[in-house]
Structures are given as structure tokens and as C-alpha cells.
Amino acid sequence: MKFGKTFESLLTSEWQKQYMNYNELKAIIMRAVDDAPEEGGLNISAIREYYQEFEAFFLNTCHQELTRVNDFFNYKQAEARRKLATLNYQLMRTGTAAGSANSRNQQQETNPKPPTANKLRLAMREFYLSLIMMQNYQTLNNTGFRKICKKYDKYLKSDAALAWYERFVLGASFTVSSELDRMIVTVEDLYTQYLAKGDRFKAMESLRVPPLGQPTPLIHLFFSGLSMGLFLVGFIMCLLVYFCLDLTPEFRSIFISLFRGPISGVIFGLYLAINVNIWQKVGINHVLIFELERRDAVCGVKALEMACFLGYFCSLNVLLYLLYNEFYMDNPYMIPLVEVAVVAVIVLNPIHILFYSARIWLLRVTGRMLLAPFFFVQFADFWLADQWCSVVTCFVDHYRLVRFYVRYLLGWPSAFDFGADYAVAIIRCLPPWIRLWQSLRRYRDSSSRSADYLINAFKYTLSIIVVIFSTVQMETSGNYKSVFQNPWTWVYLTSALISSFYSLAWDMLKDFGLFREWKGENLFLRDQLVYPKWFYYFVIVENTLLRFVWLLEFAMVYQNVLASHTGTTLASFCEMTRRFLWNFLRLENEHLNNCGQFRATRDIFITRVNSEEELLLESMMDESEKAGKEHLDKKYF
């Protein structure tokens, strides 16, 4: 692999604009070589003047790049110096508090409660990761400057660039500073002493950072491809059997009622796996955005492996249900229960197997989401609640599935009645209700008290109102000869239209961050784009159409073109597809926000310090600076 591609694959995406621009400098050299005058066409003095002017221009450009790299490194190193002093102080506080009850009581009277050991572990591990990223920043930029200078001398037949490199780059603080190495060793020693009980091996196992550019293990690639192939074959077989068999309308209706929920879950899981793979490919740091543990986060290939396996298992259950006579089964109705039970066991399994960290993360985020008013709302919390808004039909179907099995096992005659009840309306209201409380909690916790949170809360209030009016409309429809004679139909349609337009505007302006540019190449978009430009225009059109797909469903069901359950199924799959594409632009917008703040690691907040402790921290920082002062005080360029 050429160095330019290696360079781009190893850089920290949130700091991308702070790295030296290797590819641009390389392009400058190539253009200069192509535009160089031929030796026979001009006199020697003109040729010499051309190369001298280009040399001055190129080295000046390199100097600007070096200044930018060095300034950013010094900024991040100063930030790291303060973080290290704060963590060191909190570790000492925690160690002192753990060693003496009297000290602990006295400390609680004068200072806030020290952070827990678990929180300090998370903070130390994340800080250690940030130091390794800075070390990688050092290495990549140093190598980049060396490579580009060698390339210049090679193509221009000169030694000026290498001399510049030895004079300025090798003397820059980001290359000669040993303070970063000392901070890395200090973190390792502190973690060993305070958090690993003196066991350095255990400390290094906990602090370890996955190698940059580490390829996906071949075993996961193999099983991912295998499960994908099996799922595709099973999916095609299910379609052939469903449409080729002479099934009665009643059998088809029961089949859809029993399997639509599990099938929806599988499809949405595949959508999310595709999301993760594309985020990785384009450099969107979903691991940071979702506050995942980088050391054992599930990569895109593993996510696809898990989703395809569940999809294959679902297809086997569908085939077994459709062909139950051929398998000499008297009762096929227990088959969907087996799938739901297996998935529940996999998700809730406490053993450290089958993507344990991902399952625990999902359960933890779900718990925080359900208790939204009582916890600080993180990105993963409201992102998951938004996903719930799009798969609410899947939750309703699983409720009906549970209701069916309760009635069926008790022998009730109403077991096969899959109609809606008031519990369905409550389930449909649950996701927007959670998002409403999350928005209010974010407004309460924000220092700016931005009105955007209240505007977003009103969007979900409208969604709840739509559910209420649609429920009333369905309950009263039997009292009228025509749907449009029912006044509640018009109330429902009006509220749904207002909610759809409101949600569409929020999608475009806030979630996607589009319509920032009204002229130029990125018309109706924004200045920074991660995906191809056509994709944004496609999502604008797609998101607009699918926001109003319920209108098409309403019209086709009213005209008896589609059965009610078929229309609901198509609308549900359209909404999941809309959310699938929404995820790309929503995370891109969050990623660009992290890039603007140079935020490349998780923020693990620990106890605030008071004014007296600030003075102590400053003295600790001064002591850490003295060891490397002979390097930091030098002026190199």
C-alpha cells in the first residue's frame, strides 16, 4: 500500500485537518515536475529561476504545515498535562479515603465525594488511549514530513528538502518532546499502583490499545460470509415457498401476524450492521459517538455476522412453519415462540460469550433510556429511542405474539384475534414519550437552556397526539358508513400532516444539518461532506417521500387495494428503511461536531475540584513540566 493511503487509514479522523497534508504536498511536487520547462527550450538561468521559485514556495508551504502540526500538538499536550494532574490527584484522594475511615469522614466534610475506582479506571483507560493517539500523531506527521521531503529531493534532484527536514522538523517540539512518553509511563505506573493492586501485567492488559489499522480476524470474515450466504439462500427459499404454495387467506393473515415482528427485527438488525460497516469505511467514529469501549467494540464484520446468523435462523423458522405438513407437524403455532425465546436467551445471557460487551451496552442504554427523566441523557440514549420510534410496529407485533400465546395456552377462543386494543396504543406512544422526556431532561441539564430541546420535545408531543387521534378514529369508525363521515378522521389526518411536516423540517435542519449552503457546489447541503454528493440529494428526496408514506397506505387501504395488515407491513418496512438512511446522515453530523471540537476519546467526567485543589493541581503540573523544560523552552522555527 502506498504511504498516502496508509497515512489516511491510520490518522485519527477527528483530528484529520490538523495532520500535515501529505497528499496535497505530493500533488504540488507532481504538478511542478509536469510543468517544469524543458532544458532545450529556455536558457539555463530561466530554468534555474523556475526551480528556485518552486523550492521557496514548497518549503514555505511545508513550514506552514509544520507550524500547524506543532501548534496542535502543543495544545493537546498541555491539555493532557492538566488531565494527568487531575487524575493523579483524584487517585491519591481515593487511595487516602480507602485507607482511613477518619480521613474519609474528614474529607467528606470539606471536599466532594471522591470518584469511584470503577470511574477512575474508565477515565484512566480513556486518557491512556488519548496519549497513544497523540503518540500516533507524532509518528505519522514525522514520517509524513520525512517521506515528502525525500520525494521532493528525488523528483527535483535536490537535497534542499532533506536539509529543511533535519533543521526544522527534527528540531520541532512535537518530535523532540519526551514529555508525552513520560506521561504514558506515568499513567501505567499510577494505574498499576492504585487500580491494579501492584500487578503491572493486569494493568497493561486493562490499558492496552488495539493496534491501529488492525485487520478483522479471518475467522470472523469466514463466518460472516458463511452466515450471509446461508441467510440469502434461506430468504430466497422463504419467498419462493410463500408465493408458490396455495395458502389460504386466513393462513397468510395468521402467518403475517405471528412472524412480522421477528422478521422486522431481523431486517432492522441487518440495516444496523450495514450502517456500522459503512461508518467504518468512510471514517465516522461510531465507537466514540456511542461511548463504546474501543478495546472490545463490535466491528462491522462481527455485527454483520451476528445479524445474518439471526436472519438465517429466522428463515429456517419461517420455512418450518410454511412447510409444517411436509415435516409431519400437527401444530405449527409454537414455532415463532422458539425463535423469540432463543433471541431473548442470547441477549440476556450473562456468560461472557456471543458479543457480551455489545449486549451489556445495549441493556445498559435501554435501562437509561426507559428511565430518561432520572439520568443524564447521552447520544446513545436518544439515538436508541429514535430507533424505537421507527420499529414500534415490531414492538406491537411482539406484544400481540405474547398475547396470542397466553390466550392460546389457556385455551381461549379469542386467541387468533390479532386486532388492536388499548395496550397497542400505549406501546405506540412509548417511544415518543421517552424522547419527550429525554428532550426535557436535556433542556434542564444544558447550560445554555437552548430552545432547540423544547422544539424537539414538541415534535414528539405531536407524535403522541397523532397516536391518540388515530386510536379514537379507529374505535369510532364503526359508527359511520364511510371513513370520511367520521369527524375524527379529519382530526387524525390534520394532526398527522402537521407532525410529518414538523418532523421533516427537523430531520433536514437539525438531525442532518443540511440547507446550510444556498449557492455554490454544495447547494442545499453544507460545506463539509463525508459521503458522495448525490447521496445527500437522494436522502432528501427519500426522507421526504417516506415521511408521508402513511398517506399512501391510508389511501390504498381505503380503496381496498391493500388489506389493512399488508398496508401496515409495507409502511413499517418503509419507515425502517427511512431510519436506516437517516442513521448515515445523523451520525455524520455528530461526527463533524466531534471533529470541530477535536474530540477523539470519551469524556469520563470525575469529581470537580475546588479553588484550593486548583492551586495544588497547578503545582503538580509545574513539577511535571520541569523535567522536560530544556526541550519545551527551545525555539526551533
Side-chain angles (χ1 to χ4, degrees), residues 15 17 74 89 97 188 214 325 414 445 517 562 595 626:
W15 301 345
K17 291 188 176 182
N74 288 335
Y89 173 71
E188 295 172 354
Q214 183 181 24
N325 283 326
S414 60
D445 292 339
E517 296 288 333
L562 291 176
C595 291
K626 289 178 181 178

Side-chain angles (χ1 to χ4, degrees), residues 355-634:
F355 308 105
Y356 175 81
S357 62
R359 293 188 286 109
I360 293 299
W361 174 85
L362 179 61
L363 294 175
R364 185 183 298 115
V365 173
T366 301
R368 288 203 311 263
M369 182 190 70
L370 293 174
L371 300 173
F374 307 108
F375 288 93
F376 181 84
V377 180
Q378 301 177 7
F379 179 89
D381 303 342
F382 64 78
W383 176 85
L384 183 60
D386 278 329
Q387 309 306 301
W388 277 33
C389 290
S390 293
V391 294
V392 67
T393 302
C394 178
F395 291 125
V396 169
D397 288 335
H398 279 85
Y399 159 72
R400 288 172 171 165
L401 198 62
V402 173
R403 187 184 65 181
F404 163 76
Y405 283 115
V406 171
R407 293 174 175 177
Y408 182 76
L409 294 175
L410 293 176
W412 291 10
S414 60
F416 291 92
D417 178 15
F418 291 96
D421 54 21
Y422 288 110
V424 170
I426 294 174
I427 294 173
R428 291 175 61 197
C429 286
L430 181 60
W433 176 259
I434 292 172
R435 286 295 287 119
L436 169 63
W437 278 108
Q438 286 179 334
S439 299
L440 295 177
R441 176 62 193 245
R442 294 185 77 196
Y443 174 78
R444 173 186 176 274
D445 292 339
S446 66
S447 58
S448 62
R449 295 297 175 93
S450 173
D452 287 348
Y453 299 124
L454 299 180
I455 296 173
N456 199 25
F458 183 66
K459 181 182 78 169
Y460 295 103
T461 303
L462 286 175
S463 299
I464 295 173
I465 292 173
V466 170
V467 173
I468 294 173
F469 285 154
S470 68
T471 302
V472 174
Q473 187 270 336
M474 287 188 294
E475 290 294 324
T476 58
S477 61
N479 301 330
Y480 300 90
K481 294 181 179 180
S482 172
V483 172
F484 292 105
Q485 290 181 353
N486 186 351
W488 288 106
T489 299
W490 298 103
V491 175
Y492 159 65
L493 291 176
T494 301
S495 62
L497 281 172
I498 294 173
S499 177
S500 296
F501 278 113
Y502 196 100
S503 299
L504 178 63
W506 186 270
D507 287 342
M508 300 300 175
L509 300 177
K510 295 297 182 180
D511 288 341
F512 299 162
L514 301 180
F515 293 95
R516 304 287 176 85
E517 296 288 333
W518 290 90
K519 59 182 179 179
E521 295 183 356
N522 296 341
L523 181 65
F524 302 142
L525 306 180
R526 45 179 144 74
D527 56 347
Q528 290 182 287
L529 304 176
V530 172
Y531 305 106
K533 194 182 300 182
W534 63 265
F535 181 72
Y536 297 88
Y537 295 114
F538 169 74
V539 172
I540 290 174
V541 175
E542 167 272 334
N543 196 74
T544 302
L545 294 177
L546 295 188
R547 271 292 184 188
F548 294 91
V549 75
W550 61 269
L551 271 175
L552 181 62
E553 176 202 358
F554 182 87
M556 296 183 75
V557 172
Y558 173 73
Q559 296 294 334
N560 294 320
V561 177
L562 291 176
S564 178
H565 62 269
T566 305
T568 303
T569 301
L570 293 177
S572 175
F573 288 155
C574 286
E575 173 59 21
M576 287 192 296
T577 302
R578 188 194 70 81
R579 184 64 65 181
F580 161 66
L581 296 169
W582 178 93
N583 282 334
F584 288 122
L585 267 61
R586 180 63 187 90
L587 255 76
E588 179 209 26
N589 197 20
E590 191 71 15
H591 169 75
L592 294 176
N593 180 59
N594 286 336
C595 291
Q597 300 177 3
F598 309 124
R599 179 175 177 260
T601 55
R602 294 183 294 170
D603 296 324
I604 309 296
F605 296 102
I606 54 179
T607 309
R608 296 177 180 271
V609 294
N610 57 34
S611 56
E612 294 180 0
E613 293 171 328
E614 284 281 354
L615 297 176
L616 177 60
L617 284 181
E618 291 178 5
S619 65
M620 294 172 65
M621 292 167 61
D622 292 339
E623 290 176 4
S624 66
E625 286 184 78
K626 289 178 181 178
K629 193 172 180 61
E630 66 276 6
H631 295 299
L632 298 176
D633 286 346
K634 290 182 180 179

Side-chain angles (χ1 to χ4, degrees), residues 46-86:
I47 295 175
R48 184 182 298 111
E49 182 180 358
Y50 171 83
Y51 284 109
Q52 288 176 347
E53 290 179 356
F54 175 70
E55 179 180 300
F57 167 75
F58 179 79
L59 294 181
N60 182 60
T61 304
C62 288
H63 213 82
Q64 294 174 1
E65 292 288 298
L66 177 60
T67 301
R68 182 166 52 82
V69 168
N70 207 64
D71 288 346
F72 180 73
F73 178 81
N74 288 335
Y75 162 75
K76 297 301 290 186
Q77 186 168 255
E79 183 181 71
R81 191 183 304 123
R82 177 171 180 81
K83 284 184 178 180
L84 178 58
T86 304

